[in-house]
Amino acid sequence: MARDESDREDLLREATALGRRAEFRLPGEPDTVTAGLRNDGRLSIWFGGDPAYHFDAEGRLRRAFVEGRLYRTQGTTLARLTRIRMPGATEMRRHDLDPDELADFIRRMRDRLARFAAALADGQAALLRSVPADDDAFVRDLRDRLAAILAAPAALAPAIRGKR
């Protein structure tokens, strides 16, 4: 993982775990949006380098990176992990979001995803690059996945094994 999580050079090239991925330019957005699917169906979306949202195959939020902080599902809430860098070590400080914090986080995430989904649906999202380059179905699949995530009640993935 990068020492500075917000320093992403080329997500499309770096995100090799995503078998299908693409980069888009959205109207009014200063940064590109990169989205990709793993072979097992997990979806990841980066708005520039921050925020980033990672969903499981069922469309439930698994992890996120927002405003320089990592978030990880605990099954019933999200844990906000703040990296405290010290010479020779990094400490992770954890805070489990209370219900109001979780609701605000989910609302902001869904607003961002809805704007992206609308740009895809309206043809306003300009496809800049994709891997593989000839995957014409990816945009349609991405649009369908976003529509399913936004149509369902917000859900968190089960807690990540081995993490508390």
Side-chain angles (χ1 to χ4, degrees), residues 27 48 52 61 75 91 95 99 126 131 135 140 147 149 153 158:
L61 182 64
E91 178 183 319
H95 168 75
V131 175
D135 188 358
R140 183 189 65 240
I149 288 169

Side-chain angles (χ1 to χ4, degrees), residues 142-162:
L142 176 60
R143 194 174 47 234
D144 292 347
R145 289 291 304 276
L146 283 170
I149 288 169
L150 292 167
L156 298 177
I160 298 171
R161 287 187 76 201

Side-chain angles (χ1 to χ4, degrees), residues 25-27 118-127:
R25 170 73 60 203
L26 303 183
L120 285 171
D122 296 344
Q124 297 296 311
L127 176 63

